Amino acid sequence: MTTPIPTYHYRCSRCGREYPGDRLRYTCPHDGGNLDIILDYDALRRELSPSTFPGPGAEPSLWRYQALLPVPDPGGHGTPLRRVGWTPIYALPRLRARLGLPHLWFKDESPNPTASFKDRASAIVLAHARQQGADVVITASTGNAGAALAGLAAASGQRAVILAPATAPRAKIAQLLIYGARVVLIEGTYDDAFDLSVQAAQALGWYCRNTGYNPFTAEGKKTAAFEMWEQLLRDAPDARWHIFIPVGDGNIISGIYKGFWDLHQLGWLPQMPRLHGVQAEGSAAVARAFFAGADRITPVQAQTLADSISVNLPRDGERALRAVRATGGRYWVVSDDAILAAMRELGHHGVFVEPAAAAAYAGLRAAQAEAAFEPTDRVIVLLTGSGLKDVAAAMQAVPPAPQIPPDLDALQRVLAAAHDA
Ligand SMILES: *Cc1c(COP(=O)(O)O)cnc(C)c1O
Ligand SMILES: [Zn+2]
């Protein structure tokens, strides 16, 4: 039995103008605003029930939410495409006890097929590209979006072209290449790659996946909200929930907002959780706009070791502001040193994340220091990518290991020294 695709149309997040969902549209032709995909919630409310959704036999991937996704089932059984999403939630009891937060959880996105949250977006975009009959999908990427597109396109037999800054971490470039995508490294920033990929898509008639441009990426990212609802919120709808999310372009936080908003429209979630955006001090365009009370984003010269959230002009910044303002959350700004400390601290609890993911945890620590929530509140930290993505950053977070000849005396000497330290 195949699930029908829900009826949908586009609505501009800036001006509210609406457009039919007859084909792929990128941004609002009137003012360039990003487009939200609006489902037919009345029809869905009649067809689905929150107590049985998505059903006991639902597959352990984001495809369990097919009924709320505006794309056809892409098939791909027996490939990594069916392993995207349905990621674990950890309680990390020792860390809870140390922080005095008995209701703290971590959602770990590193088990996704290409080891980051971006797989959610790429899976949905590839399904849409296939439905549209697109041969080639192009994207600009700081690394993870490209790796996700390249890996899942390889799994599904679609063609991907990736433009990434030449400075991207080696592990991410290795992923792009090993998955067999067409990879071009740009002598410039992510923002330069972004503009070039849009030009190339227009000139060559390719389908463009770009974050904060293609409306379907948020439809993939929203599935993480559905999972948090199913894994946690559904059982404690009256509690006060806070979710800490790292923000670069702002598409992850916009997508998570969209997922909770969908559930709220369906009447399945009485109150949206408070969304907290976390940015690196050196790449904080959205946070600055938040604190200035502005609706538009002023670009910055981004400088942070957290490459996945290093962005001059956030492409989904306005919706990232909306996500936080509409839910009563806040923005937090963290230093690179705090990010490295967060990597080390999570590592000591068995969780190895890349700097951008650690930023979310550093944001939680900052919020706790300012008593931004009660110890009885429920808190989820979204850990967006694996630490193996950026080994160079990890090595900066820890002291080097001593090196000795293969000799017991030497071993005892360094062990004693470590013990004294
Ligand atoms: C892309 C990414 C982010 C930030 O997401 P945006 O949509 O750019 O805000 C955070 N962490 C990781 C690991 C990412 O790959
Ligand atoms: Zn508009």
Side-chain angles (χ1 to χ4, degrees):
M1 197 191 75
T2 54
T3 313
I5 306 168
T7 310
Y8 66 89
H9 65 276
Y10 301 98
R11 182 189 293 157
C12 175
S13 59
R14 255 188 199 165
C15 70
R17 282 183 171 77
E18 302 201 326
Y19 305 96
D22 51 349
R23 61 184 167 84
L24 172 61
R25 296 166 192 267
Y26 292 109
T27 52
C28 176
H30 177 69
D31 59 10
N34 287 342
L35 299 176
D36 292 316
I37 290 183
I38 308 297
L39 308 180
D40 182 349
Y41 299 100
D42 289 337
L44 290 168
R45 217 177 290 124
R46 284 192 299 273
E47 289 157 17
L48 306 172
S49 153
S51 54
T52 54
F53 184 81
E59 79 177 68
S61 79
L62 56 68
W63 301 111
R64 67 200 284 106
Y65 305 117
Q66 187 72 58
L68 299 177
L69 299 175
V71 295
D73 186 319
H77 291 276
T79 77
L81 192 61
R82 303 307 293 201
R83 294 307 308 265
V84 179
W86 199 239
T87 55
I89 299 247
Y90 301 133
L92 304 185
R94 277 173 41 241
L95 188 53
R96 276 182 169 185
R98 197 164 74 69
L99 299 179
L101 296 175
H103 307 291
L104 173 64
W105 287 272
F106 295 85
K107 187 157 177 66
D108 182 9
E109 291 293 309
S110 60
N112 278 308
T114 79
S116 91
F117 189 96
K118 297 295 198 295
D119 283 343
R120 295 179 184 274
S122 289
I124 299 307
V125 164
L126 282 167
H128 187 252
R130 168 155 288 172
Q131 182 202 29
Q132 300 291 305
D135 285 339
V136 179
V137 182
I138 186 171
T139 196
S141 171
T142 61
N144 285 339
L149 183 66
L152 297 177
S156 67
Q158 288 167 275
R159 290 201 310 165
V161 178
I162 317 293
L163 307 188
T167 53
R170 306 300 293 166
K172 296 181 183 181
I173 295 176
Q175 279 188 296
L176 299 176
L177 293 169
I178 212 85
Y179 290 136
R182 218 44 211 279
V183 181
V184 184
L185 299 180
I186 305 302
E187 295 162 353
T189 62
Y190 166 62
D191 298 80
D192 295 325
F194 190 103
D195 293 336
L196 184 58
S197 63
V198 171
Q199 283 172 24
Q202 282 166 358
L204 301 168
W206 290 347
Y207 184 108
C208 185
R209 179 218 178 276
N210 279 11
T211 294
Y213 179 66
N214 185 314
F216 285 83
T217 60
E219 292 297 302
K221 291 171 177 182
K222 79 179 184 182
T223 59
F226 296 167
E227 290 176 23
M228 289 186 266
W229 171 75
E230 203 186 330
Q231 291 167 317
L232 294 172
L233 276 79
R234 182 157 65 174
D235 297 330
D238 300 324
R240 197 154 44 177
W241 289 91
H242 302 260
I243 307 180
F244 287 80
I245 302 165
V247 172
D249 269 322
N251 192 241
I252 291 183
I253 200 166
S254 302
I256 286 176
Y257 174 79
K258 175 54 164 48
F260 287 121
W261 189 82
D262 276 356
L263 296 171
H264 189 64
Q265 298 306 304
L266 288 167
W268 298 3
L269 179 69
Q271 201 192 322
M272 307 250 304
R274 288 159 207 255
L275 302 186
H276 295 263
V278 185
Q279 294 212 281
E281 203 168 64
S283 177
V286 183
R288 284 189 195 184
F290 178 81
F291 289 114
D295 292 328
R296 297 291 166 97
I297 311 287
T298 307
V300 296
Q301 280 297 326
Q303 186 62 253
T304 169
L305 66 78
D307 66 292
S308 295
I309 50 172
S310 182
V311 178
N312 294 347
L313 175 60
R315 304 293 171 151
D316 216 355
E318 292 170 26
R319 290 197 302 185
L321 284 172
R322 178 182 70 182
V324 167
R325 285 179 176 147
T327 60
R330 240 199 76 173
Y331 270 87
W332 301 91
V333 172
V334 296
S335 68
D336 280 5
D337 282 346
I339 289 172
L340 290 173
M343 280 178 79
R344 203 165 48 235
E345 203 176 327
L346 288 170
H348 290 188
H349 293 271
V351 181
F352 182 19
V353 298
E354 70 162 88
Y361 178 62
L364 163 80
R365 298 299 306 273
Q368 192 185 19
E370 289 196 28
F373 51 82
E374 305 288 326
T376 50
D377 286 355
R378 272 52 173 179
V379 181
I380 308 174
V381 178
L382 186 68
L383 300 176
T384 43
S386 163
L388 291 173
K389 294 273 196 174
D390 188 354
V391 172
M395 295 303 268
Q396 282 185 60
V398 288
Q403 193 173 324
I404 58 166
D407 172 271
L408 183 59
D409 282 344
L411 180 60
Q412 282 175 327
R413 262 196 312 278
V414 292
L415 291 179
H419 199 256
D420 293 343

